[in-house]
Amino acid sequence: MRLVRDDPYPPVSRCRVAGGQSSPRGAGQARWASMRGMKGKVCVVTGATSGIGKAAAAALAGLGATVVLVGRDRGRAEAAAAEIAPVSASPPRAEVADLASLEQVRGLAERLAGLERIDVLANNAGLVLGERRITPDGFEHVFALNHLAPFLLTNLLLPKLAASAPARVVTVTSDAHSAARLDLSDPNLEHGWDSWRSYANSKLANILFTRELARRLGGTGVTANCAHPGVVRTGFGRESRPLLRLGITIARPFMASPERGADTIVYLASSPDVAGQTGGYYVKRQRREPSAAARDDAAAGKLWEISEKLAGLAPAEPGGS
C-alpha cells in the first residue's frame, strides 16, 4: 500500500474562501467542479469531530452546503465546527449526542427535525472495541453504535428527508463486512464475541440496512447508498485490542488521508452522477458487489424487523398497551 498524496480535497487549513465557497486547488478543483450545486442544501454528518467525518463535513461545506456536525463531546464538536467555518458558505452547526444511547439518538432526531430541511444524512460514526461492552440500553456497544444508531436516526428523520426530496442517505460501511458471521438470533453476540467479528457484523448490518432502506424508500425521492472509505489515517481502532492497535500504528504512514477516505462519501452525497441511484455499495466512487451475505434480501428484511423491535420502532402487538 502506498501513501496517497493526490487527495481530492485539501485539509481545511489549506482551503481558501472565494465567493462563499472553498476553492480546492489543482486537480482537486477540476475534479469537483461539477459538484458545486450544494448551496442551500443541509447535510448532517455523524462522527464529525475528527477523521473521515470532519473531512466529509469540510468538503460538503466547501461545496456550498450548510453542515451539521454531530459528535459526542461538545468541546470537540464546537471546535470542528469552528475549524470548518472559514470555508463554509453558512455557519456550521454542532450537535452533541452519544449515539450509543438510543435516548440520545431520539433527542438528536427531535432537534434535527426542527431544521428547515435535510438533504443529506451521512451516517459515519462507528468504532471497533477490544472488549465486549454493554450500553445502558443493554445492547452490545459496537452493534448499538454502528448499526442501531444509524437505523434509528435515519428512520426518525425520514419524514424530514422525504419532505426535502430529492434527498440522500449515505452510510459508511467497510469491506470488513466480508468477514462477518452475523447470527440474527444473537445480534448482540452474547455467544462467541470477538472484537473483529463484532465490527465485521456491524458493517454487514450497515449494508443490509441500506438495501432494505432503499427498497422501502422507492418512489419517495430519497436514496440510500453505502460507502467503503478504504484504510484511512484516523483515530479508528484506538480502543481495539493491542495487536490490532499495533498493526494500525505500523501501517499508519501508508494509509490514505481522511480527505481521501471521505471522497466516496462526499461523492454519494453530492454528485449528479448518482442522482436517483439507490441501494448500492460503493468503493472509490464505483458501485461494487458486496459479499453474498450482504446481498441476502431475506436477511435484510429480517434484520430490519429485529432492529425495529430493539430500537422501539416496531408497532405494538395486538392487544398490547
Side-chain angles (χ1 to χ4, degrees):
M1 185 184 300
R2 65 181 180 84
L3 178 63
V4 178
R5 300 188 183 278
D6 56 340
D7 296 332
Y9 314 109
V12 175
S13 60
R14 284 168 44 203
C15 292
R16 57 186 174 85
V17 177
Q21 294 181 336
S22 65
S23 180
R25 294 176 290 230
Q29 186 173 17
R31 184 173 191 175
W32 290 99
S34 66
M35 297 186 196
R36 296 192 172 275
M38 296 298 286
K39 186 174 182 179
K41 305 288 187 181
V42 177
C43 302
V44 176
V45 183
T46 68
T49 60
S50 64
I52 294 171
K54 186 169 78 170
L60 290 167
L63 295 174
T66 298
V67 294
V68 180
L69 297 86
V70 179
R72 63 179 178 175
D73 179 89
R74 181 169 299 280
R76 294 181 64 194
E78 292 178 349
E83 186 176 349
I84 290 171
V87 303
S88 181
S90 57
R93 170 173 167 174
E95 282 288 348
V96 180
D98 180 352
L99 300 182
S101 162
L102 296 187
E103 179 181 4
Q104 292 197 36
V105 172
R106 290 179 181 276
L108 172 65
E110 185 175 351
R111 297 192 300 274
L112 294 177
L115 293 169
E116 183 177 348
R117 60 186 301 112
I118 299 177
D119 300 275
V120 175
L121 171 61
N123 293 310
N124 167 73
L127 86 169
V128 60
L129 292 177
E131 61 181 8
R132 188 173 187 271
R133 299 181 193 171
I134 302 300
T135 69
D137 300 304
F139 303 121
E140 193 268 330
H141 195 111
V142 174
F143 179 73
L145 178 65
N146 293 11
H147 169 63
L148 284 181
F151 175 86
L152 178 58
L153 182 62
T154 302
N155 273 280
L156 293 176
L157 292 180
L158 282 181
K160 180 65 66 173
L161 287 159
S164 307
R168 306 181 185 191
V169 178
V170 181
T171 301
V172 178
T173 184
S174 168
D175 65 356
H177 79 273
S178 60
R181 291 180 290 124
L182 180 60
D183 180 356
L184 292 177
S185 68
D186 184 21
N188 286 298
L189 278 178
E190 295 179 14
H191 307 285
W193 186 92
D194 174 82
S195 175
W196 192 246
R197 182 186 178 191
S198 72
Y199 177 72
N201 282 2
S202 72
K203 296 293 101 178
L204 173 58
N206 291 153
I207 302 176
L208 293 173
F209 161 60
T210 296
R211 288 179 72 91
E212 181 66 9
L213 178 63
R215 185 186 71 79
R216 289 170 178 254
L217 289 176
T220 66
V222 182
T223 61
N225 293 290
C226 54
H228 165 53
V231 183
V232 182
R233 285 194 308 274
T234 67
F236 177 80
R238 60 180 175 268
E239 296 183 78
S240 61
R241 288 183 171 174
L243 186 59
L244 179 56
R245 290 202 306 271
L246 176 61
I248 291 172
T249 300
I250 293 171
R252 185 176 176 81
F254 306 100
M255 294 178 178
S257 69
E259 290 76 24
R260 171 65 69 174
D263 179 76
T264 300
I265 300 165
V266 178
Y267 174 74
L268 291 173
S270 62
S271 175
D273 295 345
V274 289
Q277 298 297 309
T278 194
Y281 168 68
Y282 286 79
V283 182
K284 295 182 179 179
R285 300 193 184 189
Q286 300 298 312
R287 188 162 180 158
R288 303 281 179 83
E289 283 275 279
S291 70
R295 303 193 305 272
D296 186 336
D297 289 332
K302 182 65 175 176
L303 176 64
W304 187 282
E305 294 174 1
I306 291 169
S307 301
E308 276 186 323
K309 293 177 182 177
L310 295 178
L313 290 176
E317 296 291 334
S321 59

